[in-house]
Each structure stands twice: as structure tokens, then as C-alpha cells.
Amino acid sequence: MVAAAGFALLAMAYGCAEVPTDPDERAAYDERNDPLEPMNRYFFDLNNAMDELILKPFAGWYYILLPNYAQDRVRDALNNLRSPVILGNDLFQGDLDRAGTTIARFFINSTLGIAGLWDVASEFGLIYHDEDFGQTLAVWGTGEGPYLVLPILGPSNPRDAVGRGVDMAMDPLTWILPAYDLGYLGYIRAGLDAVDLRARNLKTLDEIKQGAIDYYATVRSLYRQHRTDEIRNGAPPDAVSVLDYLSDPQTSEAP
């Protein structure tokens, strides 16, 4: 509640982007769907500064000191730990095939893969996929709302911000670790996840930053494209999906 109140106060302090009166400019404004752009740019710059000072250096050393093979083991283990959250969202979305894949992957990788350090399941054709409650809300027909840049967490929107909270509540480790006075392991996991993800995108982000006229606008666009792709599970925009069917069952064929 305190964090939400503080965020609301900051939104009022920095104000909303001025709504243009020209029809063409208004159309572009509506397409951006970024009414809190002044505040968002402030947090974007703050996050970018923190990234340059803290996260990027850690990710750089992680990439240099840890062999690629070891980095893959870290990523496989972190992906395996997400299995309960992924499974819950598979079921919420009514995708029993993907739910079965998640269950099979978890048991195979937790045993033959030694606590998930090796993605043995992929060798059996059980390919990893990710799901989160933000995607589930989208499948249920919930709109994304305005674009948001969250402190530390980065690009988001109200739907995905709520999804983050639900995913955290769904994760068994959120409750198990503190019960055994191991809550610090949750922070280590989150930090390792952030460093590993940043290390895998060192060159990509540098190239985007160097080539972008407006880095903020470029990241905003890429985030939305990425989320749309995740929600559709990689299907092309013109393909009939569960999302299309739920939003207009009269004109869409069942997937």
C-alpha cells in the first residue's frame, strides 16, 4: 500500500503527457498509449543509470568469468524452479497440452537433470516454454492498460504489474524459504536471474542503445512486441489463437 501510494504521488508530481489537439498528433499519442510518459522517462533514466553502475558490470564479470557451459546450467536450474508458476498459468489458460509438458519437464529435469541443472527433457522433445499471470490475464481478455516503467523492474503495464504479484504468490518458494529461515535464498535467486538475463543480452542492448534515436521509445516498442509474441505463444498475428477466440467467439474458429 505504501509503495502504491508513493507511486501515485510521483505520478501526480510529474504529471501526464499533454494530450495534443491536432488529430494526427492525437492519433500518434493514442497509439503510444503512454499518458504517464514524463514519469516513465524519469524512472527509465533512473533504471538505466542503475544498470550502467551496478547490473551491467556484474553481468559483464559473470559473462567473462563463468564459462558458457556453466551459465547454461544456471539458466536451466532457474527455469526449472519456475515450473510451478508456469504450470499454474498453463492450467489457468486451459492449455492442458502445455501443462502436461511442464509437468513432464519438471520431473525429468529434477531427477535425470539433477535438480534441473541439465535440461534433459528437451532431448525428449519437451521444449521449455514460459508463462506468467500477465499473459493469463491477457488470454482472459484483460487489456494491458497504459505503458508503465517500474522502478528497478523496468517496462511493464498495470496488467503485467498485477501478474508479477500473483506469480510471486503462486511460487511455492515464496512461502517455503521464509518458513525455514532461508528467505535470503529468494533474493539470491532473483539477483542471479537478473544477472544471468542481463549477461545474455549484453551485446544486444548495447547495439539497440547505439542505434536508437530515442532509446526510451525503442525499448517501449520492443517490450510491447515481445509481450504480444509471448501472449500468442509465438503464433503470427493473423493466426487464430485462444486469445482471438475468447475475444470474438462468433467470428473465430476454435483453436
Side-chain angles (χ1 to χ4, degrees):
M1 292 296 293
V2 174
F7 196 79
L9 287 173
L10 282 170
M12 289 186 290
Y14 285 94
C16 298
E18 184 177 350
V19 180
T21 55
D22 179 81
D24 292 336
E25 293 180 358
R26 177 57 189 267
Y29 173 87
D30 291 338
E31 184 178 359
R32 289 195 302 271
N33 191 25
D34 191 3
L36 296 175
E37 185 170 346
M39 181 193 72
N40 284 336
R41 283 186 179 272
Y42 170 80
F43 284 124
F44 181 82
D45 290 340
L46 186 64
N47 289 345
N48 189 46
M50 292 176 62
D51 174 69
E52 291 289 338
L53 289 172
I54 302 173
L55 186 56
K56 185 177 178 180
F58 270 102
W61 284 111
Y62 174 88
Y63 184 81
I64 293 171
L65 297 177
L66 207 62
N68 290 339
Y69 180 80
Q71 293 178 37
D72 289 342
R73 303 290 69 76
V74 170
R75 176 45 53 189
D76 287 344
L78 290 171
N79 286 344
N80 196 54
L81 288 175
R82 273 192 57 80
S83 295
V85 174
I86 295 171
L87 174 61
N89 284 293
D90 285 336
L91 294 174
F92 285 146
Q93 294 174 32
D95 198 331
L96 298 183
D97 288 340
R98 285 163 71 89
T101 297
T102 302
I103 293 172
R105 281 183 52 82
F106 180 73
F107 281 106
I108 291 172
N109 289 339
S110 297
T111 53
L112 297 180
I114 309 178
L117 288 171
W118 281 268
D119 186 3
V120 180
S122 291
E123 299 179 12
F124 294 96
L126 300 169
I127 307 302
Y128 174 79
H129 67 273
D130 197 7
E131 292 290 345
D132 57 62
F133 199 72
Q135 293 169 250
T136 297
L137 289 174
V139 170
W140 290 352
T142 305
E144 66 177 352
Y147 181 68
L148 288 175
V149 177
L150 301 177
I152 300 176
L153 299 178
S156 188
N157 55 57
R159 182 184 65 201
D160 289 348
V162 170
R164 282 178 178 269
V166 175
D167 286 338
M168 185 177 294
M170 288 172 57
D171 191 339
L173 291 180
T174 299
W175 313 103
I176 293 174
L177 293 178
Y180 291 92
D181 294 325
L182 297 173
Y184 64 92
L185 292 179
Y187 295 107
I188 293 175
R189 172 191 173 187
L192 188 57
D193 193 18
V195 170
D196 180 78
L197 181 62
R198 185 65 177 90
R200 292 172 184 273
N201 291 277
L202 282 170
K203 295 181 180 178
T204 301
L205 287 179
D206 283 346
E207 290 173 356
I208 292 173
K209 186 179 294 187
Q210 291 171 7
I213 297 175
D214 184 346
Y215 185 43
Y216 168 85
T218 299
V219 170
R220 179 179 61 196
S221 177
L222 290 174
Y223 172 77
R224 284 179 170 151
Q225 293 174 38
H226 176 67
R227 288 301 286 169
T228 298
D229 183 68
E230 287 185 323
I231 291 164
R232 292 183 176 275
N233 294 331
D238 57 350
V240 176
S241 64
V242 173
L243 179 58
D244 299 322
Y245 181 69
L246 290 176
S247 63
D248 193 0
Q250 300 300 320
T251 58
S252 302
E253 297 180 0

